[in-house]
Amino acid sequence: MPAEPLSKAGLQDVIALDTAISYLDTDREQILIKGFDLIELTQHIGYVEMIHLLFEHQLPNTEQVKSLEQRLKDQCDIPTSLWTILQELPQETHPMDAQRTALSVLAGFDQSLHDCSVQANTHRAYRLLATLPMITANSYYLLNGKPIIVTDSSLSYSANFLYLLTGRVPSKLEERIFDLSLLLYSEHELPNSTFTARVIASTLSDMYGALTGAVASLKGPLHGGANEEVMKLLLKVNTPEAFEELLQEKLRQKEKIMGFGHRVYAKKMDPRALIMKRALIDLSNQRGDDQFLRMCEAGENLMEREKGLYPNLDYYAAPVYYMLDIPIDLFTPIFFCSRTVGLCAHIIEQHQNNRLFRPRVQYKGTPYQFI
Ligand code: COA
């Protein structure tokens, strides 16, 4: 008898599809995006260049960056009825759910919704990247009964995004660090949300539907929601010693510590976390306040010692966002905004070379019963 095929819990190590977008090369400790190492890229490009790389398949020259910045400014008109709908949401709604609602609503305004050609998909992806920062920030303001804020077109894409989130024009250092965080979050192979988006797109459903599913996936604390949970944990105490004690207690209770571990990196450091840690060091030095840095380092040392686990990007992104004065409820929506470029690239690729996802199961239920 042939051996029964084994299911893999959580699809661990299963190769689910072919892609030319990105690959986590854990042997070389590289995150390859379109053949470039993301960590190396952080020294040369910003988030807007990454958008060009993922949609146009090459790094842009200076002129192309300028024209893309302009395109993103020109395409940021938003249907006014979207604000009316968002205003109707209960105040307790998490901004992630508001973001999901907004994406669903936008589908209705797309005249060529069912055109899944590369050209149509790329066009709507650019529009989404242009509008999502404003939608995300304003859904938060509307939920909190505040007036909506408008784009400052004199600012760069990232500076304007941060301005929308905080209501103040950022310093050069803050702009650089925020842009870096968007770049680090932009694309990361096949996490749960990207897989979700591709599974939905494989039915030839539209880009908004695929992104809506991705928001729902990203919201979970085991995925994108971790950055908000990390911050809540850091705010529970205010010294490195107390933070260590807090984590020790959680480990004793067999609880997971948010911001540590990763399915693919497993017991290795997420290379993005190191870059984000450096950003936290820069920000702490500039502010003359290293409280979160010292607490995070204490947590990092403890987790390495006790569990052999290392921080992921969310661990260091959380205190960085907090120090940039961003409300905690917006941490995961920002992750989604930055990941939209990667998600859209995957949806475009899926539609371009599609085969419906339809896996099988290993049945463990009651055997066939005769009546
Ligand atoms: N805190 C404590 N223990 C952890 C842990 C964490 N953050 N992450 C993994 N572990 C432990 C598990 O308890 C398990 O231990 P055991 O074998 O003794 O039972 C082992 O490591 C394997 O964990 P598992 O949850 O099976 O790994 P996974 O590959 O399914 O999970 C994550 C990956 C990311 C879901 C997991 O590391 C996690 O929950 N991390 C916290 C949430 C987070 O930061 N998410 C963002 C990811 S980028």
Side-chain angles (χ1 to χ4, degrees):
M1 269 216 346
E4 260 190 21
L6 290 175
S7 65
K8 289 234 182 181
L11 298 183
Q12 176 156 6
D13 297 327
V14 169
I15 307 294
L17 51 93
D18 293 346
T19 181
I21 298 172
S22 65
Y23 176 63
L24 305 187
D25 188 338
T26 46
D27 293 338
R28 293 191 198 169
E29 301 196 3
Q30 285 185 335
I31 300 165
L32 288 177
I33 301 182
K34 293 275 167 192
F36 295 98
D37 175 29
L38 175 64
I39 302 308
E40 245 180 83
L41 281 179
T42 59
Q43 291 169 32
H44 305 285
I45 69 164
Y47 183 66
V48 168
E49 283 92 331
M50 179 57 88
I51 297 175
H52 191 282
L53 176 62
L54 282 169
F55 293 162
E56 310 300 333
H57 316 292
Q58 55 185 8
L59 286 172
N61 58 33
T62 319
E63 268 315 298
Q64 287 167 322
V65 176
K66 261 171 77 182
S67 94
L68 179 49
E69 281 267 2
Q70 194 54 47
R71 179 175 185 173
L72 295 169
K73 281 175 190 170
D74 293 343
Q75 292 194 335
C76 70
D77 50 310
I78 292 161
T80 43
S81 47
L82 177 64
W83 303 133
T84 317
I85 293 168
L86 291 176
Q87 219 158 8
E88 291 300 315
L89 295 175
Q91 216 184 346
E92 297 71 31
T93 306
H94 190 281
M96 245 354 227
D97 296 330
Q99 202 174 47
R100 204 187 57 226
T101 305
L103 281 162
S104 286
V105 172
L106 287 179
F109 288 93
D110 192 324
Q111 307 275 326
S112 57
L113 182 63
H114 301 295
D115 182 352
C116 294
S117 63
V118 175
Q119 201 190 14
N121 266 341
T122 309
H123 179 71
R124 63 174 66 89
Y126 278 124
R127 282 191 71 88
L128 283 166
L129 283 161
T131 50
L132 269 175
M134 193 147 144
I135 291 171
T136 301
N138 280 321
S139 55
Y140 176 81
Y141 295 132
L142 288 172
L143 288 169
N144 287 281
K146 293 184 182 161
I148 60 170
I149 184 169
V150 291
T151 289
D152 181 340
S153 55
S154 69
L155 300 174
S156 70
Y157 182 85
S158 297
N160 178 58
F161 192 174
L162 189 49
Y163 161 71
L164 292 170
L165 296 166
T166 63
R168 67 174 176 81
V169 175
S171 69
K172 279 285 158 210
L173 177 72
E174 290 172 331
E175 176 184 348
R176 180 179 68 72
I177 286 178
F178 186 65
D179 184 74
L180 178 67
S181 78
L182 298 183
L183 183 62
L184 290 171
Y185 269 135
S186 62
E187 164 57 19
H188 204 226
E189 204 209 65
L190 200 60
N192 194 292
S193 50
T194 306
F195 187 49
T196 301
R198 289 195 72 134
V199 169
I200 295 171
S202 84
T203 67
L204 297 186
S205 188
D206 59 86
M207 184 172 263
Y208 304 91
L211 290 174
T212 303
V215 179
S217 155
L218 197 73
K219 185 184 172 196
L222 295 189
H223 192 3
N227 59 11
E228 294 184 12
E229 297 307 316
V230 169
M231 200 59 232
K232 289 175 196 159
L233 212 55
L234 282 166
L235 289 174
K236 278 190 195 294
V237 289
N238 47 27
T239 64
E241 295 74 22
F243 191 57
E244 254 189 62
E245 185 43 47
L246 178 70
L247 300 194
Q248 286 275 25
E249 183 51 32
K250 285 191 169 293
L251 291 180
R252 276 195 289 272
Q253 302 295 329
K254 305 263 178 250
E255 281 180 46
K256 278 189 166 176
I257 314 292
M258 296 297 124
F260 286 90
H262 193 278
R263 173 61 66 76
V264 179
Y265 302 121
K267 301 239 161 175
K268 283 181 178 174
M269 181 95 167
D270 172 349
R272 302 168 303 167
L274 214 56
I275 304 293
M276 211 65 246
K277 181 177 179 179
R278 279 191 214 128
L280 178 62
I281 294 172
D282 289 349
L283 205 52
S284 305
N285 286 342
Q286 194 242 4
R287 298 276 167 90
D289 175 2
D290 63 358
Q291 183 190 328
F292 290 127
L293 175 63
R294 289 186 304 116
M295 287 167 67
C296 282
E297 281 180 330
E300 183 180 340
N301 293 337
L302 174 92
M303 288 298 281
E304 184 183 354
R305 218 169 47 236
E306 296 288 323
K307 299 286 291 184
L309 285 171
Y310 293 90
N312 52 52
L313 174 56
D314 295 318
Y315 187 66
Y316 280 106
V320 164
Y321 283 168
Y322 192 79
M323 288 183 81
L324 291 175
D325 298 330
I326 298 171
I328 298 173
D329 277 0
L330 285 171
F331 289 8
T332 316
I334 295 169
F335 181 169
F336 179 76
C337 288
S338 51
R339 184 56 59 81
T340 298
V341 62
L343 287 164
C344 288
H346 278 276
I347 295 165
I348 292 167
E349 190 181 63
Q350 187 64 42
H351 279 161
Q352 213 178 348
N353 187 16
N354 190 53
R355 182 125 200 260
L356 177 79
F357 281 98
R358 204 308 182 188
R360 295 299 311 277
V361 298
Q362 197 164 166
Y363 181 61
K364 300 273 191 185
T366 315
Y368 183 75
Q369 299 182 59
F370 294 99
I371 300 168

